[in-house]
Amino acid sequence: MNTHKYKISGMTCSHCERAIRDEVSELPGIHVDEVSLETGMLTVSSDGDIKDMKVLEAVEEAGYTGTRL
C-alpha cells in the first residue's frame, strides 16, 4: 500500500474538506484516508502507483492548491 501526504491551502470549512474528498475520490484506485481543515492535510493511499500530478489536479479542480510532502 502506497501512501502520500499533501499540504492543502485555502480550506476554511468542512465544505472544503468534502469538496476535496469528492474530487480526489473520483481518481481510479485512489482512496482518500483523510482531509483535515485543522491540519491542512490530505492523505491518500493506493495499492498501485499514486500520480501526484493527478491528485493535485483534482485538488485544483475542487478550488484549492496543494503540494506533496
Side-chain angles (χ1 to χ4, degrees), residues 19-20 23-25 27 53-63:
I20 292 169
E23 282 294 330
V24 176
S25 292
L27 296 172
M53 181 185 294
K54 294 291 185 186
V55 173
L56 294 172
E57 285 174 357
V59 168
E60 287 181 17
E61 186 68 28

Side-chain angles (χ1 to χ4, degrees), residues 38-58:
E38 186 176 308
T39 64
M41 299 291 291
L42 164 66
T43 305
V44 300
S45 60
S46 177
D47 288 331
D49 289 335
I50 298 173
K51 305 264 190 257
D52 292 324
M53 181 185 294
K54 294 291 185 186
V55 173
L56 294 172
E57 285 174 357

Side-chain angles (χ1 to χ4, degrees), residues 3-60:
T3 302
H4 289 192
K5 293 186 179 214
Y6 305 86
K7 181 70 175 170
I8 306 299
S9 300
M11 289 192 291
T12 59
C13 64
S14 61
H15 170 75
C16 300
E17 292 174 331
R18 259 190 320 275
I20 292 169
R21 181 179 300 277
D22 290 349
E23 282 294 330
V24 176
S25 292
E26 291 182 13
L27 296 172
I30 299 294
H31 179 266
V32 177
D33 298 324
E34 180 182 29
V35 182
S36 173
L37 169 63
E38 186 176 308
T39 64
M41 299 291 291
L42 164 66
T43 305
V44 300
S45 60
S46 177
D47 288 331
D49 289 335
I50 298 173
K51 305 264 190 257
D52 292 324
M53 181 185 294
K54 294 291 185 186
V55 173
L56 294 172
E57 285 174 357
V59 168
E60 287 181 17

